[in-house]
Amino acid sequence: MRVVPDDGYRSARLVLIGEMPAQHEEAQGRPFVGPSGGVLAKWWRDVGLQRSDFYITNVVPYRHNKANKVESVPWDERQQYVEELHDRIAALDDPWLIVPTGNTALQALVGKTGITRHRGSIYAYRDRRGRIIKVIPTIHPAALFRTPYWEKRCIMDWRRIASDVTFRDLRLPEREHFIKPSISDLQDFYEDAKQRAKCLVFDIETPRKKLQMQEGVYKSGKRKGLPKIKTTLGDARITLVGFSFESHFSFTVDTTLEYWRDEQQLKEAWDVIRLLMALPVPKGGQNAYAFDVPWLLEPDYACPVTNFLWDSLCLNHTRDGRDDHAMHYQQSLYTREPYHKDEAKDPDEMSKWTSDLDQFRRYNGKDCCVALDLIDEHLSYLGERNRLQFY
Ligand code: URA
């Protein structure tokens, strides 16, 4: 067993965290000098970075077994290495940006899992000296040998990293999400949109209704004889309609009776939503042409959308037909909004919507602002290249 020491100056602004040395690293006693290092070197050249810009470290400091599987390192030993990693970072002079590559490094540094979701996002890490350091995770270069089509997103991440290391702050979008409107707030928003909107983005949420069902009686146990209440899922329905026409502001309308408390108020809310959707201004949204527009046309809502023009999913398809089009992926490439899709999920049951309604409403507002940013970005990209005609 040979420990591979960290490489680079303690004064480096950039810190690269790998997983565990492989064969070449073990042989040469330096991190990232094998095939993974070769891939990184190529990307760094493309974006104007070089090896000497980095302090390079690994979570596990030696090659554990011939299979290069970090999972074979015992859990408590790995935990020990995570502790040491945080200590090593705290010993650095003044790092500005840390790049964890792959799941092991991401989890060790910030405790998040799912590198494909979190890559390209901008996070803050508080080190053991209390310093706040910017973090931009990316995919481990070795993953490219299995999944070559991820190269575009890796290069985009490294482009962001090269640019973000020139400043310390996170520069995240500052947005206000207005989530509990009264009817008069909604009317004011309508007047404002009528006067000022150049593109009105909207997004609906359609969670299934949670139903409490009585399900027979307990057959065993101390509480024998008590009715058992089971939560089950009923029909999907529109519970939120969000809007944005400025990147820094969203307006979300709850469309449930639970929110408005009486039928008349709910009807008035829908009347104003219909007026908003009937404005002549171009409308837009992410996947809204296939999803939101038909939902709104359902007889329960009877809310046609006038002049629906810009769909960020379709615009992204026009931009690069071979790429993925999910919003969280597009946002990681073209906006500075960190990954937020889990904010709508129940943390205990990730497949269900969160029961924290305010969080759900803010999530909806964020989606609207991000879709607007994406539409702006795609329109200028395609416009500059005379390619809007293909949309
Ligand atoms: N992969 C890693 O995670 N680290 C290295 O040093 C080399 C390959």
Side-chain angles (χ1 to χ4, degrees):
M1 175 181 107
R2 181 179 181 187
V3 168
V4 175
D6 294 352
D7 197 20
Y9 296 107
R10 283 160 55 135
S11 56
R13 280 188 185 165
L14 265 170
V15 179
L16 178 79
I17 310 177
E19 181 179 83
M20 177 172 86
Q23 199 178 357
H24 293 82
E25 288 75 19
E26 184 182 48
Q28 295 183 43
R30 276 184 96 195
F32 284 111
V33 289
S36 292
V39 172
L40 286 177
K42 175 179 166 292
W43 292 337
W44 291 345
R45 234 184 353 264
D46 290 350
V47 302
L49 292 171
Q50 49 197 340
R51 190 174 171 103
S52 57
D53 295 327
F54 292 86
Y55 180 87
I56 304 179
T57 187
N58 277 303
V59 178
V60 177
Y62 69 96
R63 186 176 174 221
H64 190 258
N65 65 4
K66 290 200 168 57
N68 292 342
K69 285 255 183 290
V70 76
E71 293 77 15
S72 62
V73 180
W75 190 84
D76 49 350
E77 193 182 329
R78 241 197 290 171
Q79 281 314 105
Q80 183 57 36
Y81 292 135
V82 169
E83 292 300 311
E84 290 170 9
L85 172 73
H86 290 288
D87 288 343
R88 286 203 300 285
I89 292 172
L92 298 177
D93 291 351
D94 185 20
W96 283 18
L97 173 51
I98 307 179
V99 183
T101 60
N103 267 317
T104 305
L106 174 71
Q107 188 161 23
L109 187 72
V110 289
K112 292 184 189 292
T113 54
I115 189 67
T116 52
R117 287 175 285 145
H118 292 290
R119 52 139 288 282
S121 284
I122 301 155
Y123 296 121
Y125 164 72
R126 180 187 285 273
D127 83 350
R128 291 192 165 165
R129 283 159 68 179
R131 301 179 297 192
I132 302 292
I133 307 169
K134 186 158 56 177
V135 173
I136 302 182
T138 190
I139 289 169
H140 193 287
L144 267 284
F145 302 127
R146 298 184 297 273
T147 317
Y149 90 96
W150 281 348
E151 183 158 30
K152 171 177 169 176
R153 60 198 75 186
C154 292
I155 293 174
M156 296 288 275
D157 290 348
W158 282 108
R159 206 170 278 158
R160 168 164 287 175
I161 291 160
S163 151
D164 261 68
V165 76
T166 61
F167 54 93
R168 241 182 218 282
D169 47 327
L170 270 66
R171 299 195 188 167
L172 298 179
E174 286 181 17
R175 312 193 199 269
E176 185 191 345
H177 303 296
F178 197 98
I179 55 169
K180 283 186 186 161
S182 63
I183 293 292
S184 82
D185 293 330
L186 184 50
Q187 282 159 343
D188 290 349
F189 179 76
Y190 165 72
E191 290 300 330
D192 201 18
K194 192 161 102 181
Q195 298 297 322
R196 297 196 300 119
K198 301 272 181 297
C199 172
L200 182 62
V201 160
F202 61 92
D203 181 41
I204 64 169
E205 306 298 341
T206 58
R208 291 191 176 277
K209 194 169 192 153
K210 274 197 185 136
L211 302 173
Q212 305 284 315
M213 303 260 283
Q214 192 168 320
E215 194 205 45
V217 291
Y218 282 117
K219 294 280 185 298
S220 60
K222 282 195 186 130
R223 301 201 301 161
K224 194 171 172 183
L226 284 180
K228 185 178 180 185
I229 305 295
K230 188 181 162 219
T231 304
T232 182
L233 294 176
D235 276 348
R237 77 275 191 238
I238 299 179
T239 65
L240 299 177
V241 184
F243 296 93
S244 175
F245 61 87
E246 292 170 297
S247 172
H248 64 87
F249 184 78
S250 68
F251 190 96
T252 293
V253 190
D254 197 305
T255 53
T256 62
L257 199 52
E258 291 84 348
Y259 179 83
W260 292 103
R261 288 175 187 278
D262 79 81
E263 297 277 359
Q264 182 54 30
Q265 292 245 338
L266 178 57
K267 186 186 160 303
E268 283 175 36
W270 269 109
D271 286 345
V272 187
I273 293 170
R274 282 187 203 97
L275 288 175
L276 277 156
M277 295 298 188
L279 285 173
V281 58
K283 307 297 182 310
Q286 162 76 10
N287 197 23
Y289 189 64
F291 184 82
D292 305 53
V293 170
W295 253 104
L296 288 160
L297 280 175
E298 289 279 322
D300 281 353
Y301 311 108
C303 182
V305 178
T306 302
N307 200 12
F308 183 84
L309 205 50
W310 304 124
D311 191 313
S312 48
L313 188 152
C314 304
L315 283 163
N316 195 53
H317 195 276
T318 310
R319 181 175 186 152
D320 183 351
R322 294 162 304 179
D323 208 0
D324 291 343
H325 307 304
M327 174 182 264
H328 80 269
Y329 172 68
Q330 291 189 55
Q331 111 191 34
S332 76
L333 299 188
Y334 305 123
T335 81
R336 293 182 72 81
E337 183 72 52
Y339 178 75
H340 70 281
K341 287 292 167 182
D342 292 346
E343 290 171 17
K345 304 277 167 69
D346 186 321
D348 300 323
E349 292 176 84
M350 291 297 279
S351 60
K352 298 231 181 89
W353 296 107
T354 176
S355 46
D356 178 340
L357 285 178
D358 284 356
Q359 185 156 322
F360 194 34
R361 293 169 186 142
R362 271 191 297 275
Y363 161 86
N364 169 265
K366 232 178 235 188
D367 266 5
C368 294
C369 293
V370 170
L372 182 65
D373 283 357
L374 291 174
I375 289 167
D376 273 353
E377 155 63 29
H378 293 323
L379 287 182
S380 52
Y381 178 93
L382 294 170
E384 278 162 21
R385 289 159 184 77
N386 263 330
R387 284 176 47 200
L388 259 179
Q389 58 187 310
F390 302 117
Y391 172 71

